[in-house]
Amino acid sequence: MKTLALGLYAKKSFFALLLVLLLVLNCGIQFVKTQSTNVQYVSSDFVKAVDAAFIEMSDDSEFIDGYRDIGLIFPIPECVNFFGLTEYPYPDKFDFNYKEKVFTMCYQENAGSPRQETHELVAKTLVKLLNKRYKINLNYVVKQLDTRKLGYFKTVKNAVDSGECQVCVASSVKETSRESEVHFQCPYESSSNGFLRSNLDPQIVVNNFKDLNKTGLIVAISAGSIYLSFVPEISAATIVTAPGTQGVLQLIAEGKAHAVLGDINDLMTFKRNPVNNCTNCIVRGFGTTVEMASFTTMNIIQSSASSLVFKGILFLIISLLCIL
C-alpha cells in the first residue's frame, strides 16, 4: 500500500509539473504575440536563404541583363569570388510560412527612375531564385512606403522591424552607422554620390561639390536619406527636403532649387529626359564609389516561433506517453 501511495503521489506531482509547464508555455506564447505587434523576429534560416539568393542574384544572367537595360552606369559589385564556388550557400529550408502568408517586399514611394525599375527587378529576381531553389510558389507583393513623416531610412527600417515587409529591396547605401541597425545582404548595385545643378540663376557658378557651399544657393535633399550627412559641408547654402528622389527633382523642375544631392544614376536619368528641360544641367560625382543593398531586420533568432511551440508540444506528448 505504501508503494502504491508513493506511486500515486509521484504521478500527481508529475501532472502538476506538466500543468505548470503548460502555463509557462502559454505565457511565453502570449508574450511573443504581444511583442509581435511592435517587433518582428525572423529565423536565421530565413535570413540565410535571402542572403544566399542575393549572392546568386549577382551571378544571374537575367538580372545582369535587366540591370544593364535600365541604364545603370556602374558595375554590379562582386559579392563573392565565384571562382571555385560549387554551390550557393542556401540553408536546407526556407523558414517562411509561404502557404498561409504573403511574402512582402518594400521600398520607398517617389523613388523615381531608374530607382523604381531597379527595385522591381530586384524583387522579381529574389522571388524567382527562392522559388527555384526551394521548389515553391511564393505569393508575394511589393509595397511602396510613404516616407513623408519619418524620412527614408527610418521608414524602411521600421517596416522590416515590425513585419510590415520581410525584405526592403530598396538600394540602400551600406553605411557603417546603418550596418548596426539592419542586416544587409550582398550589395547588388554600385554608384556614386552626385549633385545636379539646374539652370536656375546661372550667374551662380557651381563646378564642383565645394561650390555648393554658397549663401543664396538652395540645395534639395531627400528627407531621411544618407545625403543629409553632407549638410555640414555646405552649411552656407539653404537646405530644403522633400520625400524621395522624385520629390527633390520635382523642386528642380519647378525652379524651386538650384541643386540636388543624390545618387548619380538618378541625376543622370533626370538630366537625359527631355521632358524635364534639364539637358543643359550639370551633373557631377563626388566622393568615393558607394555600394547599395537590400536588408532584413536585425531581429534574428535561431528558431522560428512555430518550431519552438512545436518542440514544446512534442516534449509534453513524449512525457505523457512515458507515464502511461
Side-chain angles (χ1 to χ4, degrees):
M1 291 295 291
K2 187 175 181 181
T3 302
L4 179 62
L6 287 172
L8 290 172
Y9 177 79
K11 284 188 176 182
K12 287 181 180 180
S13 299
F14 190 84
F15 276 112
L17 178 60
L18 286 179
L19 180 60
V20 171
L21 288 173
L22 280 171
L23 290 172
V24 170
L25 180 62
N26 181 66
C27 289
I29 294 171
Q30 294 305 317
F31 176 77
V32 170
K33 287 181 178 180
T34 301
Q35 296 303 307
S36 65
T37 57
N38 298 316
V39 178
Q40 174 71 37
Y41 289 90
V42 296
S43 74
S44 57
D45 278 342
F46 171 83
V47 174
K48 288 175 183 176
V50 174
D51 289 352
F54 274 93
I55 292 174
E56 184 175 3
M57 189 181 299
S58 63
D59 195 35
D60 182 76
S61 59
E62 287 185 22
F63 176 76
I64 294 170
D65 290 343
Y67 185 93
R68 290 170 180 164
D69 290 342
I70 289 170
L72 301 172
I73 59 179
F74 286 79
I76 298 172
E78 187 171 306
C79 179
V80 296
N81 183 1
F82 289 103
F83 182 76
L85 183 68
T86 57
E87 187 175 359
Y88 302 109
Y90 286 96
D92 292 336
K93 65 176 181 177
F94 179 49
D95 195 3
F96 181 78
N97 187 9
Y98 60 88
K99 292 183 178 179
E100 298 181 9
K101 294 179 66 177
V102 176
F103 183 58
T104 306
M105 296 162 285
C106 59
Y107 62 88
Q108 75 276 29
E109 285 182 347
N110 300 309
S113 182
R115 201 58 43 216
Q116 183 168 341
E117 296 92 330
T118 305
H119 299 160
E120 293 290 339
L121 173 65
V122 170
K124 177 183 175 182
T125 307
L126 175 59
V127 170
K128 180 193 78 171
L129 295 176
L130 290 172
N131 282 342
K132 180 184 73 172
R133 176 68 184 192
Y134 295 105
K135 295 179 174 56
I136 57 178
N137 186 21
L138 282 173
N139 181 19
Y140 75 94
V141 296
V142 185
K143 296 181 67 173
Q144 295 186 29
L145 305 176
D146 185 347
T147 62
R148 287 175 294 180
K149 183 177 180 180
L150 299 176
Y152 168 71
F153 185 68
K154 192 168 185 180
T155 298
V156 291
K157 178 186 180 299
N158 285 355
V160 294
D161 283 346
S162 67
E164 184 177 358
C165 64
Q166 282 76 51
V167 184
C168 172
V169 294
S171 43
S172 302
V173 176
K174 287 189 72 174
E175 198 266 338
T176 304
S177 65
R178 290 177 171 181
E179 290 183 307
S180 63
E181 298 187 66
V182 296
H183 176 84
F184 279 105
Q185 280 72 52
C186 278
Y188 64 75
E189 182 185 348
S190 59
S191 189
S192 170
N193 302 318
F195 71 87
L196 178 146
R197 171 67 171 98
S198 73
N199 300 317
L200 182 65
D201 296 330
Q203 73 278 8
I204 305 176
V205 178
V206 176
N207 291 318
N208 54 56
F209 173 70
K210 291 182 179 179
D211 287 343
L212 294 174
N213 191 31
K214 290 181 177 179
T215 303
L217 206 65
I218 302 173
V219 179
I221 304 176
S222 176
S225 72
I226 199 71
Y227 304 104
L228 288 170
S229 63
F230 294 106
V231 169
E233 298 178 51
I234 54 173
S235 57
T238 299
I239 307 299
V240 295
T241 61
T245 302
Q246 196 170 356
V248 290
L249 289 173
Q250 185 62 31
L251 295 177
I252 292 291
E254 295 173 356
K256 295 179 180 179
H258 296 96
V260 166
L261 290 189
D263 172 72
I264 199 166
N265 282 309
D266 300 345
L267 304 179
M268 287 297 297
T269 300
F270 181 84
K271 171 182 164 63
R272 287 194 297 258
N273 190 338
V275 174
N276 297 320
N277 296 317
C278 200
T279 52
N280 293 326
C281 294
I282 297 172
V283 175
R284 297 277 190 276
F286 65 92
T288 58
T289 301
V290 296
E291 294 185 337
M292 301 176 174
S294 67
F295 62 79
T296 57
T297 181
M298 190 70 89
N299 301 319
I300 303 169
I301 56 176
Q302 292 304 309
S303 300
S304 65
S306 59
S307 66
L308 289 174
V309 172
F310 173 78
K311 288 174 184 176
I313 294 173
L314 184 62
F315 168 77
L316 293 175
I317 292 173
I318 292 172
S319 300
L320 285 170
L321 289 173
C322 288
I323 63 172
L324 292 177

